Amino acid sequence: QLQLQESGPGLVKPSETLSLTCSVSGGSISSDSDYWGWIRQPPGKGPEWIGSIYYTGNTYYNPSLKSRVTLSVDTSKNQFSLKLHSVTAADTAVYYCARLDTDYVTYWGQGILVIVSS
Amino acid sequence: DIQMTQSPSSLSASVGDRITITCRASQDISRWLAWYQQKPEKAPKSLIYAASSLQSGVPSRFSGSGSGTDFTLTINYLQPEDFATYYCQQYNSYPLTFGGGTKVEIK
């Protein structure tokens, strides 16, 4: 059974960098058929796709966030990571890591609430 | 970006009802559409992909249809565990985009 688990700080100060890691268990992040992604959901709103990464390091970013986002993958640890720079209160959301098959989500992590506040 | 518009934004229904949720894309997305179910304080759950294909383990009372710009999610014989918010998502092109959601409440 595939499991994805997000980890990282739940509170980030404005202008700083939000850093999250997703640990994958029950499957290999180096699967040829899968992409790995980050999706966020502000309180009371719908989901927003942040970006996706392949195990080779190929990335796809949402243009609305592209200038502030960096995705990376560590196949040796079966993990992938998100960095969102220069955060503001508008970046407060539940952040989900996910496995994608042809760009639709097949597995979601449980999510982690990140609050941007001083 | 492709805009995804869901209707209604909320609906009230009873156990045993049949309900239909609509999702409209701002441009042709062929059948590259997925549906998700989300319960309060929980991660979304994947229901349907390619407009009408059920994810493994999803009950057959859920069905999806449509192509191009207009899509529907139908739930037959609504069960207590089906009361949730439903989202559509297009994956025809980047950026991937979601609808605003339809909340299904108990009448």
Side-chain angles (χ1 to χ4, degrees):
Chain A
Q1 176 85 8
L2 188 74
Q3 290 191 320
L4 293 81
Q5 179 68 60
E6 304 89 350
S7 60
L11 180 64
V12 181
K13 290 183 168 56
S15 80
E16 295 189 345
T17 296
L18 180 162
S19 296
L20 297 175
T21 295
C22 182
S23 299
V24 179
S25 59
S28 173
I29 203 169
S30 301
S31 166
D32 286 343
S33 60
D34 299 325
Y35 273 77
W36 305 91
W38 291 94
I39 295 160
R40 70 180 184 178
Q41 187 171 26
K45 296 187 178 181
E48 177 185 32
W49 173 73
I50 298 171
S52 301
I53 187 166
Y54 196 55
Y55 77 94
T56 56
N58 285 358
T59 53
Y60 299 88
Y61 295 127
N62 191 325
S64 69
L65 297 168
K66 185 175 183 177
S67 64
R68 299 193 292 129
V69 172
T70 304
L71 300 189
S72 59
V73 61
D74 187 336
T75 55
S76 67
K77 295 182 178 179
N78 226 32
Q79 295 177 336
F80 61 104
S81 298
L82 163 71
K83 289 188 184 299
L84 181 63
H85 308 282
S86 306
V87 297
T88 69
D91 295 310
T92 293
V94 176
Y95 285 76
Y96 296 100
C97 62
R99 187 185 85 174
L100 296 97
D101 181 344
T102 323
D103 294 326
Y104 65 90
V105 179
T106 53
Y107 279 93
W108 299 74
Q110 67 182 27
I112 182 170
L113 174 62
V114 179
I115 297 172
V116 178
S117 175
S118 54
Chain B
D1 299 5
I2 298 175
Q3 307 301 316
M4 305 302 293
T5 304
Q6 287 183 235
S7 60
S9 57
S10 66
L11 66 88
S12 296
S14 301
V15 173
D17 285 352
R18 177 176 185 261
I19 66 166
T20 299
I21 297 169
T22 297
C23 178
R24 176 164 289 174
S26 61
Q27 63 189 72
D28 189 339
I29 60 168
S30 186
R31 293 177 61 81
W32 303 115
L33 185 97
W35 289 97
Y36 306 95
Q37 175 195 66
Q38 186 176 34
K39 297 181 180 179
E41 311 304 319
K42 296 291 186 183
K45 171 188 173 183
S46 303
L47 295 177
I48 287 171
Y49 63 97
S52 61
S53 297
L54 260 60
Q55 287 283 356
S56 175
V58 173
S60 58
R61 64 180 180 272
F62 289 89
S63 64
S65 65
S67 65
T69 60
D70 294 315
F71 301 86
T72 59
L73 171 70
T74 298
I75 310 175
N76 288 301
Y77 307 110
L78 202 64
Q79 296 299 296
E81 60 268 29
D82 301 335
F83 292 95
T85 300
Y86 293 84
Y87 294 98
C88 60
Q89 178 232 324
Q90 68 80 20
Y91 53 103
N92 179 76
S93 62
Y94 291 120
L96 310 178
T97 48
F98 291 81
T102 296
K103 186 174 183 179
V104 178
E105 300 175 298
I106 300 175
K107 185 182 288 184

